[in-house]
Amino acid sequence: MHHINATHYQFKHYDSNDGLSQNSVLSICQDHIGFMWFGTRNGLCRFDGKSFRTYRRSELPGALGNDHISTIFQGPNNELWIGTDCGLYIYSPISDSFRLLNEKANDGTTITGTVNIIVSNKKKIYIASLGQGVFVYDICLLYTSPSPRDYAASR
């Protein structure tokens, strides 16, 4: 008779009782510092290994504009690209603030739908938005121009 060595996994469970803003986690990302980010239906949560900090929708400048976080992507310049059900926000860890990515594509379209997938191949960032198709941003042009708006205008 052969004995199979069972692998034992240790899990720690976190929920709203521990500071998570909501128990339905839709996306997870680890940033360049090591923080874990959780996208929920009630805000964006940053976890430092001990406690949660929640970012929620607010009308204040630099605040997150939507609470339904569908995807999180570690983008260029260590910024987080936050897909919501009403567009895309970019989080700057330097200023601890968000900005709406509202630049127009070459056909005049802006991202206004639910952003559910963001991926990159190191040269381009692909953003899938429900009902709107795919938006493609050239990373080199996006970050070598004075601003993303200048890039969009040049297309």
Side-chain angles (χ1 to χ4, degrees):
M1 176 175 209
H2 295 284
H3 293 281
I4 298 174
N5 290 335
T7 302
H8 297 282
Y9 296 99
Q10 289 188 334
F11 290 95
K12 180 146 176 91
H13 176 246
Y14 295 99
D15 62 17
S16 59
N17 294 319
D18 302 298
L20 192 61
S21 66
Q22 208 253 350
N23 289 335
S24 293
V25 175
L26 305 174
S27 57
I28 300 173
C29 180
Q30 185 172 26
D31 70 15
H32 71 287
I33 297 172
F35 288 125
M36 295 300 301
W37 294 83
F38 302 95
T40 74
R41 292 181 178 152
N42 190 25
L44 177 67
C45 300
R46 184 183 74 189
F47 185 62
D48 63 8
K50 294 181 182 177
S51 63
F52 291 92
R53 176 179 177 190
T54 300
Y55 296 86
R56 287 195 175 92
R57 181 186 183 281
S58 171
E59 299 298 324
L60 296 173
L64 185 60
N66 192 282
D67 282 338
H68 191 276
I69 311 302
S70 50
T71 190
I72 308 166
F73 170 75
Q74 175 76 57
N77 297 338
N78 296 321
E79 294 178 318
L80 292 178
W81 291 44
I82 311 298
T84 74
D85 65 352
C86 293
L88 178 65
Y89 292 83
I90 298 178
Y91 171 77
S92 168
I94 294 170
S95 63
D96 191 33
S97 64
F98 298 85
R99 69 182 184 278
L100 176 65
L101 183 68
N102 60 359
E103 282 72 22
K104 294 180 180 179
N106 58 338
D107 64 354
T109 306
T110 58
I111 301 170
T112 57
T114 299
V115 175
N116 57 348
I117 301 171
I118 307 170
V119 296
S120 173
N121 67 0
K122 305 274 186 213
K123 295 181 180 180
K124 297 182 187 298
I125 298 172
Y126 297 84
I127 302 159
S129 179
L130 290 178
Q132 289 191 287
V134 177
F135 293 81
V136 182
Y137 286 90
D138 187 311
I139 294 171
C140 295
L141 293 176
L142 186 63
Y143 287 97
T144 56
S145 296
S147 74
R149 182 168 284 111
D150 293 336
Y151 167 66
S154 71
R155 302 299 281 174

